[in-house]
Amino acid sequence: MVTDAAIFEAVGEVADPEVPVLTIADLGVLRGVRHEGDEVVVTITPTYSGCPAMDLIRHEVELTLNHLGVDGRVETVLSPAWTTDWMTDSGKAKLVDYGIAPPSSSGPVMLRLSVRCPLCGSPDTTELSHFGSTSCKALWRCNTCREPFDHFKAI
């Protein structure tokens, strides 16, 4: 019998289709694994309620369960809503390595803070558009190296 911890680890390696360097464990989208009788239930929470990546993530999780020889299903849970606080530190580091500025710390921010450029590290940056290549990212430009970059928005 495959343990819940082993199932969590295996399905946690499913890649995010929009940012393929991140896994669903890095994002905090994978919320839990539990047994209901002979069936395993994997709980996931989308980053946005209409996130188009969820169907593919669900499919990849189901394939992983099949590879493990586990009878299971995927349950999508919307409450509590996903937050960037659920992202792992290693996931945020992967974003920087991939050229996407990670979300900043949690909690209310009363000031508009700069986003550090993931390419040169400069804090001298400007938001070009609140929506980037996906809904969860904004488009920024570095005023030092002049390169545009995505910023994973804090939620």
Side-chain angles (χ1 to χ4, degrees), residues 74-93:
V74 178
E75 180 179 273
T76 301
V77 175
L78 301 177
S79 180
W82 179 85
T83 168
T84 49
D85 292 344
W86 295 354
M87 290 183 73
T88 64
D89 289 339
S90 67
K92 292 176 181 177

Side-chain angles (χ1 to χ4, degrees), residues 18-38:
E18 293 179 338
V19 186
V21 295
L22 295 178
T23 66
I24 62 172
D26 292 328
L27 282 168
V29 164
L30 176 59
R31 302 308 300 159
V33 171
R34 68 178 189 280
H35 274 85
E36 286 185 5
D38 292 335

Side-chain angles (χ1 to χ4, degrees), residues 15-151:
D16 175 54
E18 293 179 338
V19 186
V21 295
L22 295 178
T23 66
I24 62 172
D26 292 328
L27 282 168
V29 164
L30 176 59
R31 302 308 300 159
V33 171
R34 68 178 189 280
H35 274 85
E36 286 185 5
D38 292 335
E39 185 179 55
V40 169
V41 179
V42 175
T43 305
I44 57 175
T45 297
T47 56
Y48 286 86
S49 59
C51 179
M54 293 310 291
D55 288 339
L56 184 56
I57 289 172
R58 172 188 302 275
H59 177 71
E60 292 295 325
V61 168
E62 290 168 348
L63 284 176
T64 302
L65 292 175
N66 286 340
H67 288 297
L68 293 172
V70 173
D71 182 27
R73 63 183 168 90
V74 178
E75 180 179 273
T76 301
V77 175
L78 301 177
S79 180
W82 179 85
T83 168
T84 49
D85 292 344
W86 295 354
M87 290 183 73
T88 64
D89 289 339
S90 67
K92 292 176 181 177
K94 288 177 184 177
L95 283 176
V96 172
D97 292 343
Y98 193 61
I100 298 175
S104 57
S105 307
S106 64
V109 177
M110 306 311 278
L111 301 170
R112 183 175 187 103
L113 302 174
S114 137
V115 173
R116 189 169 293 278
C117 175
L119 304 171
C120 74
S122 172
D124 184 15
T125 57
T126 303
E127 184 180 61
L128 299 177
S129 173
H130 196 60
F131 295 97
S133 57
T134 62
S135 298
C136 55
K137 292 180 271 183
L139 180 61
W140 284 67
R141 181 185 65 218
C142 178
N143 297 320
T144 301
C145 70
R146 312 295 293 167
E147 292 292 328
F149 63 91
D150 279 331
H151 167 57

